[in-house]
Amino acid sequence: MHDAGSRETSLTARLRSCKADVIERWTRRVLDDPTAPSARRSRGPALLNDVPELFDHLIDALAASRRAERHDDGKADLLLAYQRVEDHARRRVAQGHCVAAVMRELSHLRAAVIEVCVAQGISIGTREAQVLQAVVDASLWTSALEIDRATRAALEESEARLRLATQAGRVGVWDYNVVTGELRWDARCREVAGLDPESAVVYDLFLAAIHPADRARVQEAVQRSQEPGGGGDYDVEYRLVGLRDGVERWVCVQGRTIFDAEGRGVRMLGTVIDISERKRAEAARLEELAFRDRFLGALSHYLRTPLTSVTLAASVLSHQGNLTPRQAKHVERITASARRMARTIEDLLDLTRSRFGGSIPIALQPENLHGICKGAIDELKVMHPGVPIRLELQGSGAGLWDPERLAQMVTNLVQNAVDYADAGSAVRVAVSARGDDVLIEVHNEGPAIAPELMATLFDPFRHVPEAERAPSGRGLGLGLFIAHQIARAHGGEIAVESAAAQGTTFRARLPRREAGGKR
């Protein structure tokens, strides 16, 4: 009959000899576990590299428990064995394993050991069964504690970062319980709402703080965010009137509704930012633009009356027929200057029309675009006798056009090309049909347009730096803006390509329309 020491040796030795069988059974149980996600099973056991070492710790604990029964000093060995199990669990958690997978796989390890004992006829007494249970429980318990500790640390770090970010950005955070009506504001929310830190906050108080003109719109946004089909987003800008200080502030409020299992909105979380400075800047900018546009419009109309008188007087003088050559030259200069001033005034009027009306008004009628372009080019050739301006016409130019506006667009594009062309080089204007569209291309050889100017090329009052401006530059910087507006009014657009080697090409695309509105 074997003594206790022999039984211990026999038990642990037999279990150690069955290690491969235990690992194989454990692996099969993990892979066949119907409760594990299919993706998890396809990747194999999470603890495949950890279980062999844990199995050794389990055998050590069984041996230590038998020694502890006979000798007091064996208790230290048992505590050391449990310590190894717990240290092993901590290392495993540090590797970032999924807690659910770890719990399932440790349970399977315990079952695999029992299966092997039954299959091999290894007798396990009550003491050994308790140790087996305790070792696996210790691993499970330590894993759970470590995961909880790591989760709490991560949450605390996340909350600290959030507090720092909200404080640095002066962002308020709010939390609304839709079911109970409880509303929580942090210190920044209270500050923006003009409320002291001690006052209780309820939903009705929040509504009272909203400017009366914005209240219905905000309530509608809240209700819309709580509709399951709406996605739960809440994003609205409105005015608050300070509950204690009476100060009006603009705020941007964003949030999201949380829905329960039945699709009912139960909670809203979000942020608030004071955007009063931005709103004041926007209002000041709009007021400045409106004033400038009104001023330009009034000035343009005011200048047209005396300019008409100058033009009429110059025309009468030029047709009298008894002027000396010197006098005739002066009259010609007066007429040219009056014509240039008339163009400038029309440009200013077009600017104000586009500002207030959204686009330059056009009057479409059946016309031939070829004839419109030829007429505009002929006038420019007279104005610039030293610049070769070549016109190429291809396909049909028939369509519904506003002849005066398109002549103005072509004149502005060609004038711009003349102003910035290399001395002695030609300006080429090509009109061609492209499917349902007509293209007008204006090309010149000259310095490339700087890339940083491309984004604002068609903005009003755009000025090229003096080092790049041609001596004959027109100065106001409205030509390209108005040309672009005319193209848009016709349903088209203007694009530009510019490079030092190829020169610069402005390409206006205009949709061809037929009588009855067909393209």
Side-chain angles (χ1 to χ4, degrees):
M1 185 173 182
H2 297 290
D3 59 14
S6 299
R7 182 170 180 270
E8 171 196 340
T9 303
S10 174
L11 174 62
T12 55
R14 291 188 66 186
L15 283 175
R16 288 188 195 280
S17 68
C18 297
K19 180 176 180 178
D21 190 12
V22 170
I23 300 301
E24 181 183 351
R25 289 174 181 269
W26 168 78
T27 303
R28 189 165 57 250
R29 289 182 63 88
V30 171
L31 296 179
D32 293 341
D33 187 348
T35 64
S38 57
R40 175 72 264 172
R41 294 199 300 272
S42 65
R43 290 195 296 268
L47 304 181
L48 186 60
N49 297 325
D50 297 270
V51 162
E53 182 182 354
L54 182 58
F55 177 81
D56 292 337
H57 293 331
L58 188 151
I59 301 302
D60 291 342
L62 284 174
S65 80
R66 295 304 299 165
R67 289 195 299 273
E69 284 184 338
R70 296 181 293 107
H71 306 289
D72 289 340
D73 57 356
K75 294 180 180 179
D77 293 339
L78 182 59
L79 292 176
L80 181 59
Y82 278 109
Q83 183 64 48
R84 291 197 187 102
V85 170
E86 293 173 357
D87 289 343
H88 182 268
R90 291 188 183 93
R91 290 196 304 272
R92 186 171 60 242
V93 170
Q95 295 171 1
H97 289 306
C98 170
V99 61
V102 168
M103 298 302 179
R104 277 194 301 268
E105 293 185 10
L106 287 176
S107 298
H108 286 310
L109 175 61
R110 180 166 49 200
V113 172
I114 294 174
E115 282 183 2
V116 168
C117 289
V118 172
Q120 297 294 329
I122 301 174
S123 176
I124 296 181
T126 303
R127 177 71 176 178
E128 287 81 4
Q130 290 175 343
V131 171
L132 175 62
Q133 185 81 12
V135 168
V136 177
D137 284 349
S139 186
L140 288 168
W141 180 247
T142 303
S143 297
L145 289 178
E146 287 298 306
I147 290 172
D148 180 69
R149 183 193 61 77
T151 303
R152 288 179 181 273
L155 286 174
E156 290 174 0
E157 182 180 358
S158 177
E159 290 175 358
R161 287 199 301 266
L162 177 60
R163 283 195 299 270
L164 181 61
T166 55
Q167 290 170 2
R170 297 184 63 77
V171 178
V173 179
W174 52 268
D175 182 350
Y176 174 47
N177 188 317
V178 179
V179 178
T180 65
E182 179 185 6
L183 183 60
R184 290 188 291 177
W185 285 353
D186 68 357
R188 180 57 181 162
C189 283
R190 291 171 177 272
E191 180 184 348
V192 172
L195 186 64
D196 59 78
E198 292 78 20
S199 298
V201 182
V202 293
Y203 190 75
D204 289 342
L205 186 68
F206 155 69
L207 291 178
I210 301 173
H211 192 287
D214 298 335
R215 193 170 295 152
R217 180 168 57 87
V218 174
Q219 286 182 288
E220 181 183 352
V222 172
Q223 293 172 359
R224 189 167 55 249
S225 72
Q226 295 177 13
E227 297 173 357
D233 288 333
Y234 175 66
D235 188 348
V236 62
E237 294 182 359
Y238 56 88
R239 289 164 291 179
L240 287 175
V241 180
L243 294 166
R244 295 290 184 269
D245 57 18
V247 176
E248 182 177 300
R249 301 176 179 88
W250 272 97
V251 294
C252 173
V253 183
Q254 295 178 317
R256 173 163 289 228
T257 298
I258 298 174
F259 299 94
D260 63 12
E262 298 180 2
R264 295 171 300 189
V266 295
R267 188 180 182 188
M268 293 180 68
L269 300 170
T271 60
V272 59
I273 301 176
D274 188 339
I275 58 171
S276 302
E277 288 298 326
R278 191 194 84 192
K279 285 292 186 178
R280 281 192 285 268
E282 289 175 356
R285 177 63 176 164
L286 291 174
E287 184 177 352
E288 177 187 349
L289 289 175
F291 172 77
R292 187 177 71 180
D293 291 341
R294 287 194 299 270
F295 172 76
L296 291 176
L299 180 63
S300 301
H301 284 292
Y302 176 77
L303 292 176
R304 292 179 78 178
T305 300
L307 183 61
T308 301
S309 299
V310 171
T311 303
L312 181 61
S315 177
V316 171
L317 288 173
S318 65
H319 288 84
Q320 281 184 350
N322 56 357
L323 296 177
T324 66
R326 182 179 180 84
Q327 290 172 335
K329 189 168 181 121
H330 286 316
V331 171
E332 182 181 344
R333 288 179 178 174
I334 292 173
T335 302
S337 297
R339 189 183 301 115
R340 182 180 301 171
M341 184 175 290
R343 275 201 311 268
T344 300
I345 292 173
E346 286 301 320
D347 286 349
L348 292 173
L349 286 174
D350 286 339
L351 174 66
T352 56
R353 292 188 191 106
S354 66
R355 290 287 197 191
F356 292 111
S359 64
I360 291 178
I362 60 173
L364 299 177
Q365 60 188 63
E367 286 285 348
N368 191 322
L369 189 57
H370 290 177
I372 297 172
C373 292
K374 187 176 185 306
I377 299 302
D378 288 343
E379 289 187 14
L380 286 164
K381 286 182 177 179
V382 174
M383 294 173 58
H384 304 283
V387 179
I389 304 176
R390 302 192 179 98
L391 176 62
E392 302 171 5
L393 303 174
Q394 296 178 0
S396 171
L400 291 177
W401 319 107
D402 185 321
E404 291 186 7
R405 287 300 187 184
L406 288 183
Q408 184 183 8
M409 183 191 78
V410 172
T411 298
N412 288 357
L413 292 176
V414 176
Q415 180 67 59
N416 180 78
V418 169
D419 287 344
Y420 295 99
D422 284 339
S425 65
V427 172
R428 183 180 66 86
V429 182
V431 183
S432 59
R434 294 286 179 87
D436 293 332
D437 299 331
V438 177
L439 295 185
I440 302 176
E441 296 177 307
V442 179
H443 174 81
N444 74 313
E445 299 292 338
I449 301 173
E452 61 269 17
L453 297 178
M454 285 292 193
T456 59
L457 198 60
F458 296 103
D459 289 354
F461 303 112
R462 185 196 67 82
H463 290 289
V464 174
E466 292 298 328
E468 302 176 23
R469 184 186 298 279
S472 59
R474 298 180 64 186
L476 273 184
L478 290 175
L480 293 180
F481 166 76
I482 291 172
H484 191 236
Q485 293 296 312
I486 292 173
R488 290 180 59 185
H490 280 80
E493 61 183 359
I494 297 179
V496 60
E497 295 178 359
S498 185
Q502 290 80 26
T504 299
T505 301
F506 284 84
R507 186 173 292 105
R509 180 192 61 80
L510 303 174
R512 189 198 307 272
R513 291 183 174 87
E514 301 174 358
K518 295 181 180 180
R519 288 194 59 180

